[in-house]
Amino acid sequence: QVQLVESGGGLVQPGGSLRLSCIASRSIGSFDVMAWYRQAPGKQRELVAAIISGGLTNYADSVKGRFTISRENAKNTLYLQMNSLKPEDSAVYYCNAKKWPENYWGQGTQVTVSS
């Protein structure tokens, strides 16, 4: 069983920045895809950003140009740099790791964007 532990969430004003981290209990290089999802109250969980083993990235249209996903294999850590935050970015953010048929989730970290 793989453990994913997120950190870095918090309260930030609109226009501010946060960096989320996700530390995995095994080498992140072993996963085909790592991603960040988010879920706001009353809404479905949605993909925010993903990075595949070759390094290609994919972003939701709503965060393109503002968020950056990256990874540091030596530290088994996935990051999400979030800039120019908006109130609509408020949600619980989840780290996800996939290598078929395995699919792992972290416990989530709360991000609140409010003045």
Side-chain angles (χ1 to χ4, degrees), residues 51-67:
I51 184 166
I52 66 171
S53 57
L56 291 177
T57 58
N58 184 47
Y59 296 92
D61 288 343
S62 59
V63 307
K64 282 181 181 176
R66 300 188 297 121
F67 291 11

Side-chain angles (χ1 to χ4, degrees), residues 17-38:
S17 297
L18 284 174
R19 188 176 80 157
L20 305 183
S21 300
C22 169
I23 299 177
S25 60
R26 83 176 196 209
S27 171
I28 62 173
S30 67
F31 298 110
D32 296 324
V33 181
M34 293 198 76
W36 289 97
Y37 287 75
R38 68 186 180 188

